[in-house]
Amino acid sequence: MRQVIVKVSILLLCFAIGACEKNQTIEKREVWSKERAKAWQDDIGWLCGANFIPSTAINQLEMWQEETFDTLTIDRELGWAEFIGMNAMRVYLHHLVWQVDSTGFKQRMDQYLSIAEKHHIGTIFVFFDDCWNPTYQPGRQPEPKPGVHNSGWVQDPGELIYQDTALVKVLEHYVKDILSHFSEDDRILMWDLYNEPGNSGYGNRSMPLVEKVFDWGHEVDPTQPLSCGVWNRSLTDLNKFQLAHSDIITYHNYDNDSVHQAAIDSLKLLGKPLICTEYMARRNNSLFSNITPMLKAENTGAINWGLVSGKSNTIYAWDEPVPDGSEPELWFHDIFRKDGTPYKQEEVDMIKSLTVKN
């Protein structure tokens, strides 16, 4: 009997430290069928919303860290979104906040979701991101650089994944913990696993993490769909993998209506619901007036970049800084000023005409 107990104890210890991992068979669910994806779309209806960060936060860390988590601003600004009929927000997370305080981070996510639900807004959470600054640290975040688009936004995990081989296990624990904790939360519309993989010159270097995060998601199998949006036609390997493994097809497009329509026509051939999770860059003629009605006519979700002008500086164009920080005549992104007045009343009227039932 003692020998049996010792053997069982050793097996349990092996499991705990991961020594037996390669001998385990982990069941993973299949990618959603077209029929299941269509049923999900029929249930939630047409999505119209924005990529959201409160105007008082420069990046994901400042949004979610305990010291700067600003529920008053979140409540106020989501109220403006509700007023124009928006029903969805796409919101970025960051593993570093979880790593510092996993319990507090999940509590703050729950607070955010409660505020959003009060305003009849569902949430698309984003895990990883290859855009903008490759390094980051907890604590006080930098002040915005005058006139510079997203001067403080940070990647996740950024360059650190190429410097710290142990980080992958941290990221796995993070993703699985968040997905498991919120796996049946109907306030969450969808999990966007990785924003613009391959951006910032990473290219196919991002593929291993894309593959892993889909594996982790399929192992947890939350009730919400998983997706990873395509955004650059030249990244053919990434695009093929993302489209093949996403339950719902998501994509980014900042081009004019004719180019955008061609993208929709191509993606519709996959036979699954579409959501455009980034659009609306006024300089590029990607506008509420020409894109949003087209997206509704195509029953394609419409999530523009930017709700309220703030510390992210996204009223300035990606590659056109304004060194003195003066307001550009033509805003690049965003709908409202910090006092709640719209940048262009006709844009708000257009959105309301598509979202608010008389």
Side-chain angles (χ1 to χ4, degrees):
M1 175 63 75
R2 183 176 182 278
Q3 186 179 17
V4 172
I5 292 173
V6 170
K7 286 182 177 179
V8 171
S9 298
I10 291 172
L11 284 173
L12 290 172
L13 179 60
C14 284
F15 181 81
I17 65 175
C20 299
E21 271 189 348
K22 58 186 176 184
N23 294 321
Q24 298 172 36
T25 300
I26 301 174
E27 291 189 9
K28 301 174 186 175
R29 72 149 170 92
E30 299 295 320
V31 179
W32 281 13
S33 66
K34 296 176 184 178
E35 293 74 20
R36 184 175 179 183
K38 180 64 164 58
W40 175 85
Q41 183 184 45
D42 291 343
D43 183 54
I44 65 165
W46 184 60
L47 297 179
C48 182
N51 284 265
F52 177 72
I53 185 168
S55 62
T56 50
I58 192 171
N59 60 23
Q60 312 94 303
L61 301 176
E62 192 164 39
M63 176 176 180
W64 290 112
Q65 289 179 143
E66 181 181 10
E67 298 79 6
T68 47
F69 185 60
D70 188 352
T71 55
L72 292 177
T73 299
I74 291 170
D75 187 25
R76 180 174 62 252
E77 295 180 354
L78 291 187
W80 300 337
E82 179 187 20
F83 176 72
I84 62 175
M86 287 185 161
N87 60 5
M89 291 289 133
R90 182 171 179 253
V91 181
Y92 287 73
L93 308 174
H94 202 285
H95 89 272
L96 186 60
V97 185
W98 174 88
Q99 196 171 11
V100 170
D101 177 16
S102 62
T103 300
F105 183 43
K106 286 178 286 189
Q107 290 171 346
R108 291 187 289 278
M109 287 178 66
D110 183 72
Q111 283 182 273
Y112 170 84
L113 289 167
S114 295
I115 295 169
E117 183 183 38
K118 182 181 75 171
H119 294 292
H120 308 101
I121 289 171
T123 299
I124 299 169
F125 278 129
V126 185
F127 277 109
F128 299 135
D129 185 9
D130 274 354
C131 295
W132 304 106
N133 295 289
T135 59
Y136 43 83
Q137 60 184 11
R140 182 179 178 87
Q141 299 301 299
E143 290 300 311
K145 296 178 182 177
V148 177
H149 180 108
N150 258 334
S151 66
W153 194 267
V154 290
Q155 299 172 18
D156 188 10
E159 291 288 351
L160 189 60
I161 197 168
Y162 305 112
Q163 301 165 0
D164 181 0
T165 56
L167 183 61
V168 170
K169 294 303 295 182
V170 174
L171 299 178
E172 179 180 5
H173 188 187
Y174 158 61
V175 170
K176 289 182 176 180
D177 183 35
I178 297 298
L179 288 179
S180 298
H181 187 84
F182 294 100
S183 65
E184 297 183 357
D185 196 321
D186 60 9
R187 298 171 297 179
I188 298 172
L189 297 167
M190 182 175 68
W191 298 98
D192 191 337
L193 299 178
Y194 202 140
N195 179 68
E196 298 195 354
N199 206 335
S200 302
Y202 291 125
N204 279 349
R205 293 176 74 198
S206 298
M207 180 69 86
L209 186 55
V210 173
E211 293 172 339
K212 285 182 174 66
V213 73
F214 269 107
D215 282 345
W216 302 334
H218 290 157
E219 288 172 25
V220 175
D221 189 17
T223 57
Q224 310 94 342
L226 310 175
S227 188
C228 181
V230 293
W231 66 279
N232 185 329
R233 293 184 63 180
S234 69
L235 297 173
T236 53
D237 293 337
L238 282 163
N239 291 340
K240 182 178 179 180
F241 186 90
Q242 290 165 236
L243 293 173
H245 290 81
S246 291
D247 298 323
I248 306 299
I249 303 303
T250 57
Y251 71 96
H252 298 174
N253 193 296
Y254 286 105
D255 291 310
N256 62 42
D257 51 336
S258 61
V259 175
H260 197 145
Q261 181 68 64
I264 292 174
D265 293 343
S266 176
L267 292 170
K268 281 172 64 177
L269 298 175
L270 297 169
K272 285 189 170 182
L274 303 182
I275 303 175
C276 179
T277 49
E278 289 189 26
Y279 79 102
M280 210 290 289
R282 295 179 181 89
R283 183 197 66 182
N284 297 1
N285 199 31
S286 176
L287 309 169
F288 291 114
S289 59
N290 63 350
I291 303 297
T292 318
M294 179 182 73
L295 293 174
K296 184 168 187 180
E298 293 285 354
N299 198 23
T300 294
I303 313 295
N304 74 276
W305 188 276
L307 184 66
V308 181
S309 169
K311 292 176 77 172
S312 64
N313 273 353
T314 50
I315 63 173
Y316 304 99
W318 300 312
D319 52 358
E320 294 179 359
V322 179
D324 66 0
S326 59
E327 180 179 320
E329 182 177 352
L330 182 69
W331 282 18
F332 195 64
H333 297 314
D334 300 327
I335 300 171
F336 293 103
R337 301 179 185 277
K338 281 183 279 190
D339 64 0
T341 58
Y343 166 62
K344 287 189 175 183
Q345 184 63 43
E346 59 266 31
E347 291 181 340
V348 167
D349 294 340
M350 166 61 72
I351 295 168
K352 289 177 69 174
S353 74
L354 299 171
T355 60
V356 178
K357 296 179 181 179
N358 297 322

